[in-house]
Amino acid sequence: MSISTSQTNICAKHSMKPRSFWAKLDAMLTVRRQRRHLLDLDDHMLNDIGISRSEAVQESLKSSWDAPGYWLR
């Protein structure tokens, strides 16, 4: 059984509930915390996830609200 992409998108749009201010704030703080944790990883761990030290530093310097929408769902 397969579901077409258009049916999936319609279902996803209707199942999403509006998020409260506090839920959005919590998501942004989580993004911030995760980006700062990148700085704590050693080079071997960064290599395991496929990023360099300079990429980790660049990512950690981004603003909390500068995140893809799918990260904040």
Side-chain angles (χ1 to χ4, degrees):
M1 179 167 94
S2 67
I3 298 175
S4 73
T5 306
S6 61
Q7 288 175 340
T8 304
N9 290 339
I10 291 170
C11 293
K13 288 178 186 176
H14 291 293
S15 66
M16 290 179 57
K17 296 178 183 174
R19 293 171 47 131
S20 71
F21 167 79
W22 298 111
K24 290 178 185 177
L25 179 63
D26 181 56
M28 286 177 30
L29 292 174
T30 300
V31 168
R32 179 177 176 223
R33 184 176 56 249
Q34 291 174 354
R35 285 180 169 160
R36 288 189 175 193
H37 281 296
L38 281 174
L39 297 177
D40 295 333
L41 298 177
D42 64 23
D43 291 334
H44 178 73
M45 294 170 118
L46 290 172
N47 189 38
D48 283 349
I49 61 172
I51 63 172
S52 66
R53 172 67 53 196
S54 63
E55 290 171 324
V57 169
Q58 288 175 356
E59 186 68 27
S60 71
L61 295 174
K62 289 183 180 179
S63 300
S64 299
W65 55 85
D66 182 19
Y70 62 88
W71 283 15
L72 304 175
R73 289 186 187 148

